[in-house]
Amino acid sequence: GESVGLHLPTLSVQEGDNSIINCAYSNSASDYFIWYKQESGKGPQFIIDIRSNMDKRQGQRVTVLLNKTVKHLSLQIAATQPGDSAVYFCAENNAGNMLTFGGGTRLMVKP
Amino acid sequence: DTEVTQTPKHLVMGMTNKKSLKCEQHMGHRAMYWYKQKAKKPPELMFVYSYEKLSINESVPSRFSPECPNSSLLNLHLHALQPEDSALYLCASSQELGSRIRSYNEQFFGPGTRLTVL
Protein backbone atom coordinates (compact mmCIF):
# COMPACT_ATOMS: atom_id res chain seq x y z
CA GLY A 1 0.00 0.00 0.00
CA GLU A 2 0.98 3.65 -0.11
CA SER A 3 3.08 4.84 2.82
CA VAL A 4 5.14 7.67 4.15
CA GLY A 5 8.37 6.58 5.83
CA LEU A 6 11.64 7.84 7.25
CA HIS A 7 15.19 6.65 6.59
CA LEU A 8 16.76 7.17 10.05
CA PRO A 9 15.10 6.41 13.36
CA THR A 10 17.64 8.38 15.46
CA LEU A 11 19.82 11.34 14.61
CA SER A 12 22.40 12.71 17.03
CA VAL A 13 23.95 16.12 16.34
CA GLN A 14 26.18 18.56 18.14
CA GLU A 15 24.61 21.78 19.37
CA GLY A 16 25.13 24.48 16.76
CA ASP A 17 25.40 22.07 13.85
CA ASN A 18 22.79 21.76 11.13
CA SER A 19 20.41 18.80 11.18
CA ILE A 20 18.82 17.06 8.23
CA ILE A 21 15.90 14.70 8.71
CA ASN A 22 14.74 12.70 5.71
CA CYS A 23 11.44 11.21 4.65
CA ALA A 24 10.48 9.04 1.70
CA TYR A 25 6.96 8.79 0.38
CA SER A 26 5.51 6.37 -2.08
CA ASN A 27 2.20 7.94 -3.11
CA SER A 28 3.03 9.84 -6.27
CA ALA A 29 -0.34 11.60 -6.04
CA SER A 30 0.61 13.25 -2.75
CA ASP A 31 0.62 17.00 -3.14
CA TYR A 32 0.94 18.37 0.36
CA PHE A 33 3.35 17.51 3.15
CA ILE A 34 3.80 18.61 6.73
CA TRP A 35 6.56 18.29 9.29
CA TYR A 36 5.56 17.91 12.93
CA LYS A 37 7.72 18.03 16.05
CA GLN A 38 6.71 16.00 19.07
CA GLU A 39 8.42 16.60 22.38
CA SER A 40 8.18 14.12 25.20
CA GLY A 41 4.75 14.24 26.84
CA LYS A 42 3.30 16.58 24.25
CA GLY A 43 1.22 16.36 21.14
CA PRO A 44 2.68 16.94 17.66
CA GLN A 45 3.43 20.55 16.87
CA PHE A 46 3.26 21.93 13.32
CA ILE A 47 6.64 23.10 12.06
CA ILE A 48 6.35 23.75 8.35
CA ASP A 49 4.45 22.56 5.31
CA ILE A 50 5.01 22.44 1.58
CA ARG A 51 2.86 21.89 -1.47
CA SER A 52 3.99 19.82 -4.41
CA ASN A 53 4.16 22.84 -6.70
CA MET A 54 7.14 24.00 -4.64
CA ASP A 55 10.54 22.39 -4.10
CA LYS A 56 11.69 24.48 -1.16
CA ARG A 57 10.14 26.43 1.65
CA GLN A 58 11.87 28.27 4.46
CA GLY A 59 10.78 29.14 7.94
CA GLN A 60 12.62 30.37 10.97
CA ARG A 61 15.75 28.15 11.16
CA VAL A 62 13.92 25.40 9.26
CA THR A 63 13.81 24.57 5.58
CA VAL A 64 11.80 21.85 3.89
CA LEU A 65 12.95 20.45 0.57
CA LEU A 66 10.77 18.39 -1.72
CA ASN A 67 12.12 16.23 -4.54
CA LYS A 68 9.16 14.82 -6.42
CA THR A 69 11.37 12.93 -8.86
CA VAL A 70 12.59 10.58 -6.14
CA LYS A 71 9.64 11.15 -3.77
CA HIS A 72 11.83 12.51 -1.03
CA LEU A 73 11.21 15.13 1.61
CA SER A 74 13.71 16.59 4.02
CA LEU A 75 13.68 18.94 7.00
CA GLN A 76 16.76 21.02 7.63
CA ILE A 77 17.26 22.70 10.99
CA ALA A 78 19.96 25.34 11.13
CA ALA A 79 22.11 25.86 14.24
CA THR A 80 20.43 23.04 16.12
CA GLN A 81 19.66 23.82 19.76
CA PRO A 82 18.91 21.57 22.75
CA GLY A 83 15.27 22.65 22.50
CA ASP A 84 15.12 21.01 19.10
CA SER A 85 15.48 17.57 20.68
CA ALA A 86 12.26 15.74 19.86
CA VAL A 87 10.74 13.21 17.49
CA TYR A 88 10.05 14.60 14.04
CA PHE A 89 7.31 13.21 11.83
CA CYS A 90 6.63 13.92 8.21
CA ALA A 91 2.99 13.60 7.24
CA GLU A 92 1.16 13.38 3.99
CA ASN A 93 -2.12 15.21 3.71
CA ASN A 94 -4.66 13.16 1.80
CA ALA A 95 -7.93 14.28 0.31
CA GLY A 96 -10.21 15.69 2.96
CA ASN A 97 -7.38 16.77 5.26
CA MET A 98 -6.53 13.30 6.51
CA LEU A 99 -2.99 12.95 7.75
CA THR A 100 -0.83 9.87 7.23
CA PHE A 101 2.26 10.07 9.38
CA GLY A 102 5.68 8.63 8.63
CA GLY A 103 7.55 6.51 11.17
CA GLY A 104 9.35 9.34 12.97
CA THR A 105 12.98 10.32 13.62
CA ARG A 106 14.31 11.08 17.07
CA LEU A 107 16.67 14.07 17.06
CA MET A 108 19.12 14.21 19.95
CA VAL A 109 21.17 17.37 20.40
CA LYS A 110 24.45 16.99 22.29
CA PRO A 111 25.65 20.05 24.23
CA ASP B 1 -6.70 30.97 22.51
CA THR B 2 -4.81 28.60 20.18
CA GLU B 3 -4.84 25.61 22.46
CA VAL B 4 -6.42 22.19 22.42
CA THR B 5 -6.86 20.84 25.93
CA GLN B 6 -7.34 17.24 26.94
CA THR B 7 -8.37 15.66 30.22
CA PRO B 8 -7.31 13.65 32.02
CA LYS B 9 -3.56 13.69 31.37
CA HIS B 10 -3.22 10.13 32.64
CA LEU B 11 -5.82 7.38 33.05
CA VAL B 12 -5.50 3.87 34.39
CA MET B 13 -8.50 1.60 33.97
CA GLY B 14 -9.45 -2.02 34.25
CA MET B 15 -10.90 -4.00 31.38
CA THR B 16 -14.41 -3.81 32.85
CA ASN B 17 -14.38 -0.08 33.51
CA LYS B 18 -16.17 2.66 31.61
CA LYS B 19 -14.30 5.94 31.26
CA SER B 20 -14.29 8.98 29.00
CA LEU B 21 -11.60 11.15 27.51
CA LYS B 22 -12.37 14.80 26.92
CA CYS B 23 -11.05 17.32 24.41
CA GLU B 24 -11.84 21.01 24.14
CA GLN B 25 -10.89 23.85 21.81
CA HIS B 26 -12.06 27.44 21.61
CA MET B 27 -10.56 28.38 18.27
CA GLY B 28 -13.87 28.11 16.43
CA HIS B 29 -12.63 25.02 14.60
CA ARG B 30 -15.32 22.85 13.03
CA ALA B 31 -13.25 19.70 12.44
CA MET B 32 -12.02 17.58 15.33
CA TYR B 33 -10.02 14.37 15.35
CA TRP B 34 -9.06 11.47 17.60
CA TYR B 35 -5.72 9.74 17.09
CA LYS B 36 -4.13 6.80 18.84
CA GLN B 37 -0.36 6.75 19.31
CA LYS B 38 1.54 3.71 20.57
CA ALA B 39 5.01 4.11 22.03
CA LYS B 40 7.66 4.97 19.42
CA LYS B 41 5.04 4.94 16.66
CA PRO B 42 3.35 7.71 14.67
CA PRO B 43 -0.21 8.82 15.44
CA GLU B 44 -2.94 6.80 13.75
CA LEU B 45 -6.26 8.38 12.86
CA MET B 46 -9.32 6.95 14.62
CA PHE B 47 -12.24 9.34 14.09
CA VAL B 48 -13.01 12.63 12.38
CA TYR B 49 -15.89 14.97 13.17
CA SER B 50 -16.93 17.75 10.87
CA TYR B 51 -19.55 20.24 12.04
CA GLU B 52 -20.38 17.90 14.94
CA LYS B 53 -21.11 14.99 12.65
CA LEU B 54 -18.99 11.86 12.44
CA SER B 55 -17.24 12.04 9.10
CA ILE B 56 -14.72 9.24 9.30
CA ASN B 57 -14.40 6.10 11.42
CA GLU B 58 -11.17 4.28 10.57
CA SER B 59 -12.60 0.84 11.39
CA VAL B 60 -12.18 1.44 15.10
CA PRO B 61 -13.60 -1.27 17.44
CA SER B 62 -16.94 -0.43 19.02
CA ARG B 63 -15.39 -0.39 22.50
CA PHE B 64 -14.32 3.14 21.48
CA SER B 65 -17.30 5.46 21.10
CA PRO B 66 -16.77 9.08 20.04
CA GLU B 67 -19.15 11.90 20.77
CA CYS B 68 -19.20 15.55 19.73
CA PRO B 69 -21.73 17.35 21.98
CA ASN B 70 -20.95 20.76 20.47
CA SER B 71 -18.45 22.46 18.23
CA SER B 72 -15.94 22.96 21.07
CA LEU B 73 -16.04 19.55 22.71
CA LEU B 74 -15.06 16.07 21.66
CA ASN B 75 -15.35 13.01 23.88
CA LEU B 76 -14.11 9.47 23.54
CA HIS B 77 -16.05 6.94 25.61
CA LEU B 78 -14.19 3.80 26.56
CA HIS B 79 -15.72 0.50 27.58
CA ALA B 80 -14.37 -3.02 27.93
CA LEU B 81 -10.92 -2.07 26.67
CA GLN B 82 -8.05 -4.49 26.24
CA PRO B 83 -4.46 -4.07 27.49
CA GLU B 84 -3.33 -3.55 23.90
CA ASP B 85 -5.46 -0.38 23.83
CA SER B 86 -2.95 1.24 26.16
CA ALA B 87 -1.57 4.24 24.27
CA LEU B 88 -1.45 8.01 24.05
CA TYR B 89 -4.77 9.31 22.74
CA LEU B 90 -4.44 12.58 20.90
CA CYS B 91 -7.13 15.03 20.00
CA ALA B 92 -6.68 17.57 17.22
CA SER B 93 -8.75 20.27 15.58
CA SER B 94 -8.63 22.25 12.37
CA GLN B 95 -10.62 25.13 10.99
CA GLU B 96 -12.55 22.67 8.89
CA LEU B 97 -11.92 19.64 6.74
CA GLY B 98 -9.76 20.89 3.94
CA SER B 99 -9.43 19.64 0.42
CA ARG B 100 -6.95 19.97 -2.38
CA ILE B 101 -9.32 22.35 -4.10
CA ARG B 102 -10.26 24.54 -1.18
CA SER B 103 -7.39 24.62 1.23
CA TYR B 104 -5.38 22.64 3.67
CA ASN B 105 -6.15 23.29 7.29
CA GLU B 106 -3.43 22.93 9.87
CA GLN B 107 -4.33 20.50 12.60
CA PHE B 108 -3.64 21.65 16.15
CA PHE B 109 -2.93 18.82 18.57
CA GLY B 110 -3.62 18.57 22.27
CA PRO B 111 -1.07 17.09 24.72
CA GLY B 112 -2.85 13.74 24.79
CA THR B 113 -4.20 11.40 27.45
CA ARG B 114 -1.85 8.60 28.46
CA LEU B 115 -4.14 5.57 28.88
CA THR B 116 -3.12 2.37 30.62
CA VAL B 117 -5.48 -0.61 30.56
CA LEU B 118 -4.78 -3.25 33.18
Side-chain angles (χ1 to χ4, degrees):
Chain A
E2 303 286 9
S3 65
V4 179
L6 294 176
H7 293 303
L8 297 172
T10 303
L11 176 65
S12 184
V13 301
Q14 203 70 38
E15 181 179 356
D17 287 351
N18 296 335
S19 302
I20 300 176
I21 300 172
N22 297 304
C23 177
Y25 66 95
S26 56
N27 186 349
S28 56
S30 300
D31 60 0
Y32 179 63
F33 303 89
I34 309 161
W35 280 102
Y36 280 91
K37 171 187 180 184
Q38 187 172 23
E39 296 176 271
S40 180
K42 296 184 179 180
Q45 178 187 4
F46 176 95
I47 301 174
I48 193 168
D49 58 2
I50 189 167
R51 298 193 186 204
S52 61
N53 60 354
M54 304 169 70
D55 53 19
K56 180 179 180 179
R57 190 162 189 224
Q58 287 185 290
Q60 189 176 14
R61 281 201 308 117
V62 295
T63 300
V64 56
L65 299 177
L66 176 62
N67 185 330
K68 293 181 288 293
T69 302
V70 295
K71 296 181 209 166
H72 185 267
L73 191 69
S74 68
L75 177 70
Q76 300 178 359
I77 304 173
T80 312
Q81 302 169 1
D84 295 325
S85 294
V87 177
Y88 289 81
F89 293 100
C90 64
E92 167 191 13
N93 195 78
N94 300 314
N97 210 37
M98 299 305 109
L99 290 180
T100 299
F101 285 82
T105 293
R106 180 173 298 281
L107 176 65
M108 299 175 62
V109 182
K110 296 178 288 187
Chain B
D1 184 357
T2 58
E3 197 177 50
V4 177
T5 59
Q6 290 188 243
T7 56
K9 294 191 72 149
H10 301 275
L11 178 63
V12 180
M13 61 186 291
M15 290 189 285
T16 58
N17 292 159
K18 282 186 180 181
K19 297 287 184 183
S20 296
L21 309 184
K22 297 187 184 302
C23 173
E24 191 167 2
Q25 57 86 15
H26 295 288
M27 294 178 278
H29 289 176
R30 304 313 298 269
M32 297 186 76
Y33 312 77
W34 279 115
Y35 288 84
K36 174 182 178 180
Q37 186 177 26
K38 300 285 279 185
K40 300 182 182 179
K41 296 289 186 182
E44 295 179 351
L45 183 66
M46 299 175 71
F47 302 104
V48 181
Y49 272 82
S50 178
Y51 288 82
E52 295 108 75
K53 288 186 169 30
L54 183 64
S55 179
I56 291 178
N57 176 342
E58 290 287 333
S59 302
V60 179
S62 59
R63 57 185 184 270
F64 295 92
S65 176
E67 178 197 19
C68 190
N70 60 56
S71 60
S72 300
L73 292 173
L74 185 66
N75 299 323
L76 186 62
H77 303 298
L78 315 172
H79 175 54
L81 294 194
Q82 304 296 311
E84 59 264 29
D85 296 322
S86 298
L88 180 68
Y89 287 84
L90 293 162
C91 173
S93 71
S94 65
Q95 191 171 355
E96 59 179 45
L97 285 186
S99 70
R100 289 186 175 87
I101 297 173
R102 290 209 306 275
S103 65
Y104 297 96
N105 289 297
E106 177 187 344
Q107 291 186 26
F108 292 81
F109 284 82
T113 293
R114 177 75 60 189
L115 174 68
T116 302
V117 182
L118 301 176

